[in-house]
């Protein structure tokens, strides 16, 4: 199974928006996989940003609630992360990950896509 593949990272100014995409065809929802976005900021441990289960129910870290939206195209097996009102502290490497929906930890990871937010 091919790992998830992220795209859409880049550099923006504070207040701007980006949309990340993740091709997760190797771990489709109809095979019982749920998906999430995590990030690793410089000097910090990797943290979960958002998760979406196979019933389209999202959860978010407090730091991104109201600014980020996770969604999933079940036909194309693409997971999106719409990021609005970006802040410099959102600068990080963002990773797409998949987990069996009955598990609490992710088992498959992408290579990541870099997001840089300037003041």
């Amino acid at each position: 199974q091919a790992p998830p593949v992220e795209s859409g990272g880049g550099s923006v100014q504070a207040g701007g928006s980006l949309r990340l995409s993740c091709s997760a065809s190797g771990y489709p929802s109809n095979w019982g996989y749920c998906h999430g976005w995590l990030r690793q900021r410089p000097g910090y441990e990797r943290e979960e940003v958002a998760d979406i289960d196979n019933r389209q129910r999202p959860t978010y870290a407090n730091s991104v609630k109201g600014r980020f939206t996770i969604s999933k195209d079940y036909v194309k097996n693409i997971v999106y992360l719409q990021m609005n009102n970006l802040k410099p502290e959102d600068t990080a490497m963002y990773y797409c990950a998949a987990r069996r929906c009955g598990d609490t930890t992710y088992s498959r990871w992408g290579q990541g896509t870099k997001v840089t937010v300037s003041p």
Side-chain angles (χ1 to χ4, degrees), residues 90-102:
D90 294 318
T91 294
M93 186 70 80
Y94 283 74
Y95 299 89
C96 177
R99 61 179 175 87
R100 287 287 189 184
C101 291

Side-chain angles (χ1 to χ4, degrees), residues 22-84:
C22 170
S23 175
S25 58
Y27 306 94
S29 297
N30 60 359
W31 287 9
Y33 284 98
C34 293
H35 301 86
W37 286 94
L38 299 88
R39 68 184 181 187
Q40 186 156 20
R41 296 180 286 169
Y44 291 81
E45 294 186 355
R46 192 176 295 185
E47 60 178 341
E48 182 178 312
V49 172
D51 181 276
I52 187 166
D53 68 13
N54 54 2
R55 296 183 181 181
Q56 292 274 23
R57 294 177 299 191
T59 57
Y60 298 98
N62 288 334
S63 58
V64 306
K65 277 182 182 176
R67 301 188 297 122
F68 290 12
T69 302
I70 188 171
S71 61
K72 192 185 305 189
D73 183 323
Y74 286 87
V75 175
K76 296 180 180 178
N77 292 305
I78 298 176
V79 186
Y80 300 100
L81 185 67
Q82 178 66 43
M83 306 185 294
N84 297 330

